[in-house]
Amino acid sequence: MRSRRRHRPLLVTLLSCALAVLMAGPTAATGDADSSDSSDSSDSTGGVGVEVVRLYEEVSLATQQYEAGRREAEAQRGRTQRLERLLDRERQDIALLHGDLGRIARAQYRDGGGLPHTARMLLADSPEELMRGQRAVRQADLAVDNAVTRSRRAESRLAADESRAASARRALERRNDELAEIKQGIERKLEEAQGTLQGQADASVAAGACRGSARLDQPDTAFTRRWVPPVETYGLSAGFGSGGERWASRHTGQDFAVDIGTPVRSVGKGRVVKVSCGGPFGIEVVVRHAGGYYTQYAHLAAVTVDQGERVSVGQWVGQSGTTGNSTGPHLHFEVRLTPRSGSAIDPREWLAERGVEL
């Protein structure tokens, strides 16, 4: 299994990410494009699917904000560390100033033999000695005053810096807590909506009848390439030809590890030739492309196209799920030579030939 590959998420704002849903006409349960069998469209699948997509976009935006907050936290942590080093230097300076005051006091005591400078001046034997005494007094007083002033300024600056550092840390912690709470709240809503969507999908599979396509507003993208991956953000899991007890012989497609409700897109332009909601693949869509190739999108939670519909490159054809013979949420993607099982070829090689590296 290859490591997760990330593509740039859709950059949308919360004010523009509300998606409208239009319920289409009945969708054929199985068969080719000219099949006329249909079932009643759902009155709620589209709404839940839209809610899931909207919440995905909100989670994406919240994640961007959280990551921005995390980066700011890292930057603030660096600033705090620099400030701590500055505070340490200021503490050392204060200790040195206190030491200077002590040395001055001790020096005065030693030089004066226990007598204050004024008494020494009164006992002076000559004018020169008197002048020297006056200068010594002035210098000593000035040294003491300067040392006291520097010490007080340093202590005041230290207190202000400590207060500023503590305030910055508290503000940053509050901001990160708020961002994390917002993100967690959206994720809880998304999990609930995913559960509802998957429940409706399971009911459709059990009944063997599709609920009808959920008309999600398509993303505002203009692909310059003719082919794209079937999902925008993914992790690769089981590959083509893999062995295991989950398959009768070998795995016939490429699995993409994605969450329930992730938009699934057509890898290229073509025509929907099959929409089915029963059997081992659960809810599936099959698209016919130029050159006689077919792509299958299986284990879906919802479909967003109708049988017979023409699709463009990257157009959403469904939402991922875990219907049918599935052990967890993922997209099963196949490339076939016919619209039916048994004609699959390696999808990674097929896409690589068309410039899409997974």
Side-chain angles (χ1 to χ4, degrees), residues 265-292:
R265 56 194 188 184
S266 177
V267 296
K269 67 178 181 180
R271 186 182 182 201
V272 179
V273 297
K274 183 181 182 181
V275 175
S276 174
C277 295
F281 288 115
I283 299 177
E284 63 172 320
V285 172
V286 177
V287 176
R288 181 172 62 207
H289 304 282

Side-chain angles (χ1 to χ4, degrees), residues 2-3 29 67 112 118 185 231 258 261 268 279 293 335:
R2 292 186 60 177
S3 61
E67 287 301 311
T118 303
V231 285
V258 289
Y293 292 100
V335 176

Side-chain angles (χ1 to χ4, degrees), residues 153-314:
R153 287 177 179 173
E155 289 174 347
S156 176
R157 185 168 60 252
L158 175 62
D161 289 342
E162 287 177 334
S163 176
R164 186 166 62 251
S167 177
R169 284 193 296 269
R170 288 193 298 269
L172 189 60
E173 289 171 358
R174 286 194 301 269
R175 180 186 179 190
N176 287 344
D177 289 344
E178 291 170 358
L179 290 172
E181 186 175 352
I182 291 172
K183 186 171 181 285
Q184 291 170 1
I186 298 173
E187 288 173 342
R188 284 193 296 269
K189 293 179 182 177
L190 176 59
E191 186 176 354
E192 293 174 1
Q194 287 174 325
T196 301
L197 181 63
Q198 185 60 43
Q200 293 177 348
D202 291 337
S204 294
V205 171
C210 295
R211 288 175 172 266
S213 60
R215 289 301 178 176
L216 306 179
D217 283 355
Q218 297 293 320
D220 186 16
T221 56
F223 292 102
T224 57
R225 295 173 295 169
R226 295 181 58 193
W227 305 95
V228 295
V231 285
E232 183 177 17
T233 302
Y234 57 85
L236 298 177
S237 51
F240 180 79
S242 300
E245 59 184 15
R246 289 174 292 177
W247 307 293
S249 55
R250 293 286 179 176
H251 193 227
T252 56
Q254 174 64 57
D255 287 350
F256 294 79
V258 289
D259 292 331
I260 294 171
T262 300
V264 174
R265 56 194 188 184
S266 177
V267 296
K269 67 178 181 180
R271 186 182 182 201
V272 179
V273 297
K274 183 181 182 181
V275 175
S276 174
C277 295
F281 288 115
I283 299 177
E284 63 172 320
V285 172
V286 177
V287 176
R288 181 172 62 207
H289 304 282
Y293 292 100
Y294 298 79
T295 54
Q296 179 209 32
Y297 312 82
H299 303 310
L300 302 176
V303 296
T304 60
V305 290
D306 291 315
Q307 194 161 298
E309 182 178 340
R310 294 191 178 278
V311 293
S312 58
V313 179

Side-chain angles (χ1 to χ4, degrees), residues 10-58:
L10 297 173
L11 299 178
V12 295
T13 64
L14 286 174
L15 295 179
S16 65
C17 68
L19 301 175
V21 58
L22 301 175
M23 301 307 299
T27 302
T30 58
D32 296 328
D34 57 357
S35 174
S36 60
D37 294 336
S38 63
S39 61
D40 293 336
S41 62
S42 168
D43 60 354
S44 59
T45 302
V48 176
V50 168
E51 178 71 1
V52 170
V53 172
R54 184 183 67 81
L55 288 171
Y56 268 127
E57 292 175 342
E58 287 192 10

